[in-house]
Amino acid sequence: MIKNLLLLVLLFSNATLLLAQTEVEAEADTTWRRTFSAGINLNQAAFSDNWKAGGISSVAFNTHLDTRADYKSGKISWDNALQMQYGLLKNKGEEQRKSIDRLYLDSKYGYAISSDWNVFVSGNFLSQFAKGYEYDVDTDGTDRLISNFLSPGFLTFALGAEYKPNPHFSVRLSPFAPRFTFLVDDAVAENERYGVPEGKSVRMEWLAAMIQASYTRDIMTNVNLRLNYLSYINYKELSGKKIDHLFNAVLSAKVNRYINVNLMGNLIYDYDQDPGVQYNQSLGLGILYTMQGFTVQ
């Protein structure tokens, strides 16, 4: 745990130093609009063995990175976003466990047909970095492998129209949105299928639609709210319970230039994964490094 933490801090420090060197004090770049933020949050608690009020010594951290690079020239636009979240926790007497794990990449090419509307083609990818387990499921206390990188992994393409009345809010309507669901880890496939047919490692959904909405804004001084919603509809499975819903929210409040408090949450309803609603949430105080409008040479 300590080795992982030290490595993460070192990588984070090097990344921020490298990106700081790319920030150039020059005329504003009117074609590209770039933003970058990366942070690490730490939580720790320690109790003596005779602490009568009760408690378990623990240490946990999670890290997140959000970056955007948006291009606009005349009627043409190209928007790119990357979001990564990863965290570990260690309770006394238990093995190290994962607390959060998310990898999301989205790219959209658009052409404006009015001041508020554009037609677009896009692609997005969703998966995780490391193995995920359901803990202590068997009588002998063993853990059950239920996910891994590209198990599942989702690659979705979309063609449609986007309504974007201002820089803070947008809605994408895609009547044609084929999706590929990957299940490449055979060990995961023995326990979970994620809608992928038996004997196959890829499920292809050609006839489908997708709706995406996003909102990001400073709702007050030094407080930023970012919301993302995605709904996926397979035309062959129009039953309400078969429509997928994904929701992601991040609320960040800056204490000073580098210290911040953030609340992150993810909500998923995907009947092929589980008939119930899945969610995770994390709250932390940590270090945040941000840049906006920087130029890379």
Side-chain angles (χ1 to χ4, degrees):
M1 179 69 178
I2 298 301
K3 290 182 179 179
N4 288 333
L5 180 57
L6 291 175
L7 178 60
L8 184 61
V9 171
L10 179 61
L11 291 174
F12 176 74
S13 300
N14 289 337
T16 54
L17 288 174
L18 177 61
L19 285 166
Q21 293 173 357
T22 66
E23 190 170 5
V24 179
E25 294 182 1
E27 295 183 2
D29 186 339
T30 57
T31 302
W32 283 97
R33 181 177 181 270
R34 305 177 182 90
T35 62
F36 171 89
S37 67
I40 180 171
N41 301 316
L42 303 173
N43 295 279
Q44 183 270 337
F47 302 87
S48 65
D49 293 337
N50 61 344
W51 185 256
K52 301 304 181 184
I56 299 176
S57 298
S58 64
V59 60
F61 75 87
N62 65 68
T63 183
H64 60 94
L65 182 148
D66 295 281
T67 185
R68 292 194 62 90
D70 298 337
Y71 172 87
K72 184 171 178 60
S73 179
K75 294 184 177 183
I76 295 174
S77 63
W78 182 28
D79 300 337
N80 303 276
L82 172 65
Q83 184 182 74
M84 297 187 291
Q85 300 173 355
Y86 188 75
L88 294 170
L89 63 88
K90 177 69 169 66
N91 291 327
K92 183 179 180 181
E94 295 181 348
E95 62 181 6
Q96 177 179 285
R97 298 182 175 185
K98 187 170 61 173
S99 59
I100 191 169
D101 192 353
R102 174 181 167 87
L103 172 61
Y104 179 74
L105 174 66
D106 182 80
S107 184
K108 175 184 68 71
Y109 181 88
Y111 184 84
I113 56 176
S114 73
S115 59
D116 296 338
W117 287 89
N118 67 77
V119 292
F120 74 90
V121 59
S122 71
N124 68 61
F125 173 75
L126 175 66
S127 189
Q128 62 190 57
F129 292 99
K131 293 180 178 180
Y133 294 91
E134 186 177 359
Y135 294 101
D136 303 327
V137 295
D138 297 327
T139 55
D140 59 357
T142 58
D143 303 327
R144 182 169 173 258
L145 180 66
I146 56 175
S147 61
N148 201 354
F149 177 69
L150 284 179
S151 296
F154 304 94
L155 179 62
T156 309
F157 298 98
L159 176 67
E162 178 185 44
Y163 174 64
K164 192 173 184 179
N166 56 63
H168 310 293
F169 174 76
S170 68
V171 177
R172 302 183 199 174
L173 306 174
S174 309
F176 178 65
R179 180 173 69 177
F180 301 85
T181 302
F182 299 96
L183 186 60
V184 301
D185 190 326
D186 293 336
V188 173
E190 293 179 1
N191 300 316
E192 297 285 348
R193 296 301 309 178
Y194 297 100
V196 178
E198 291 285 345
K200 295 184 178 295
S201 58
V202 181
R203 177 191 183 189
M204 293 175 286
E205 298 171 89
W206 292 104
L207 298 176
M210 185 167 64
I211 300 172
Q212 293 173 269
S214 65
Y215 177 83
T216 178
R217 191 164 191 169
D218 290 336
I219 56 177
M220 60 183 67
T221 304
N222 293 330
V223 179
N224 179 265
L225 175 65
R226 188 177 69 253
L227 306 173
N228 294 286
Y229 169 77
L230 184 150
S231 178
Y232 193 79
I233 307 161
N234 188 323
Y235 291 132
K236 294 181 179 180
E237 300 174 343
L238 290 178
S239 169
K241 68 178 182 179
K242 292 297 184 70
I243 297 176
D244 300 342
H245 302 274
L246 289 83
F247 178 74
N248 168 255
V250 179
L251 180 67
S252 299
K254 293 184 67 176
V255 178
N256 57 35
R257 184 177 180 183
Y258 294 111
I259 304 299
N260 82 304
V261 178
N262 66 74
L263 176 65
M264 296 183 291
N266 296 290
L267 183 148
I268 298 174
Y269 175 78
D270 186 338
Y271 190 82
D272 292 322
Q273 297 186 26
D274 193 278
V277 176
Q278 307 172 58
Y279 69 91
N280 67 32
Q281 172 268 324
S282 65
L283 173 65
L285 171 67
I287 302 170
L288 178 70
Y289 185 85
T290 62
M291 290 196 305
Q292 295 188 5
F294 62 89
T295 302
V296 178
Q297 293 186 334

